[in-house]
Amino acid sequence: MSKPPLLALPAAAHAYTLHTARGDFAVHEAGRPVLGTALLVPGFTGSKEDFVGLLEPLAAAGYRVVAVDGRGQYQSPGPRDEAAYALDELARDLLAQAAALMATAGTATSPLHLVGHSFGGLVSRAAVLREPTAFTSLTLMSSGPAAIAPDQQDRTKLLIAALEMLREDMPAVWEAMRAQEEDAVLDSPELAAFLRERWLGTVPEQLIATGRVLISEPDRVAELAELTDLPKLVLSGAVDYAWPVPWLDDMAQRLGAQRQVIPGTAHSPNAEDPEATARALTGFWGGAVEGQDRG
């Protein structure tokens, strides 16, 4: 799971509820859309807090930055129904979030950059494939071409099984899961308390349904590659346990996408080195807009 580098929002950011045609979503926002808006989508077991370190540098660079909790994820409400968390349903939510943000962007032609981290990348891909013209660019951050690596599938299957048996006792599942984390003892008391609160705030059916996507998602790279007018970036750390880095390198090549590796980071460069990640994103976004202007 991603562990935010800090929990307090920077002074320039604020939390609020984003109202959309498909429901309400908890978000963090910073900055003004001088150069455009960025919509940041978290991964499995994650939340908008995973992007706290990116808010200030991206806002300072001239972007309106919005990080969102998906349906049933931490502070966004969601039903106790696994069908509500099918990938296509979450993609439709994402498109509704984008529409709500663009309605307040000041101009309908303002750039809108989509960034999906890990499972959020699968949701982002599904949204783009459903409505390719909704976004100015797509960044897949630590998110691969299909299902996660076999060893991670095994771990996720165990978690799904535990949730199916103990969905009414989420604290027990949390304690069992944390007991398997070798580095859990390194977390500060504040971070440990937040991670537990986030887990307990997430709807168990959301975790079950999205976990199943992670272990079964087909390779849709060829479909995405057909969207040749959409600038794409594959960004990751130097190592990755969910989708090995060679898989991400190959995916970028197949997509005709730009490729960025953030040195010294693993599955969550957004949390592990937000400054370097922000520089990579803003460099890509600037080039994406310039390329479309020339086109």
Side-chain angles (χ1 to χ4, degrees):
M1 71 184 72
S2 289
K3 297 181 178 181
L6 62 157
L7 296 174
L9 283 177
H14 64 288
Y16 70 97
T17 299
L18 177 67
H19 303 292
T20 81
R22 286 180 61 85
D24 295 342
F25 299 89
V27 304
H28 288 163
E29 179 173 325
R32 298 176 57 197
V34 176
L35 297 177
T37 296
L39 176 56
L40 312 182
V41 186
F44 183 62
T45 74
S47 67
K48 61 191 178 302
E49 283 74 16
D50 297 338
F51 301 109
V52 166
L54 289 177
L55 296 177
E56 200 162 44
L58 292 179
Y63 293 91
R64 177 193 187 191
V65 193
V66 182
V68 62
D69 285 343
R71 179 193 301 207
Q73 189 176 45
Y74 189 30
Q75 293 179 326
S76 289
R80 297 293 302 271
D81 177 7
E82 291 176 32
Y85 305 102
L87 187 60
D88 188 62
E89 291 297 318
L90 301 181
R92 290 172 182 266
D93 287 349
L94 183 49
L95 290 167
Q97 295 159 14
L101 292 176
M102 292 309 291
T104 59
T107 170
T109 60
S110 178
L112 177 59
H113 302 286
L114 180 60
V115 179
H117 173 244
S118 194
F119 174 76
L122 300 183
V123 179
S124 298
R125 179 173 74 178
V128 165
L129 289 172
R130 170 169 283 279
E131 197 169 321
T133 60
F135 303 97
T136 306
S137 75
L138 170 65
T139 297
L140 301 175
M141 181 188 296
S142 305
S143 184
I148 51 178
D151 63 323
Q152 295 303 309
Q153 290 187 40
D154 292 341
R155 289 170 59 90
T156 304
K157 288 174 184 176
L158 289 173
L159 177 58
I160 292 170
L163 287 166
E164 288 175 329
M165 292 178 59
L166 298 168
R167 68 181 76 194
E168 303 306 327
D169 191 0
M170 291 291 278
V173 181
W174 173 252
E175 294 303 325
M177 188 170 65
R178 287 287 277 179
Q180 300 300 314
E181 278 191 60
E182 295 180 359
D183 63 347
V185 295
L186 302 178
D187 296 339
S188 69
E190 294 78 13
L191 177 58
F194 163 76
L195 294 174
R196 184 178 188 276
E197 176 187 314
R198 177 169 70 179
W199 173 263
L200 297 181
T202 299
V203 177
E205 286 75 14
Q206 191 266 6
L207 292 164
I208 293 170
T210 56
R212 287 180 178 149
V213 172
L214 285 171
I215 63 177
S216 65
E217 177 71 357
D219 191 318
R220 304 187 70 185
V221 173
E223 293 176 70
L224 188 59
E226 291 180 1
L227 306 180
T228 55
D229 291 336
L230 179 71
K232 309 170 191 72
L233 169 66
V234 175
L235 186 150
S236 75
V239 296
D240 197 288
Y241 60 83
W243 289 276
V245 168
W247 293 14
L248 302 178
D249 294 339
D250 177 72
M251 182 178 72
Q253 186 172 23
R254 293 165 60 200
L255 285 174
Q258 291 188 36
R259 181 75 173 100
Q260 287 276 350
V261 174
I262 307 301
T265 69
H267 187 62
S268 299
N270 47 303
E272 295 162 30
D273 193 343
E275 291 288 344
T277 301
R279 288 193 297 271
L281 289 171
T282 56
F284 167 63
W285 293 340
V289 171
E290 288 176 9
Q292 291 188 349
D293 288 344
R294 287 195 299 271

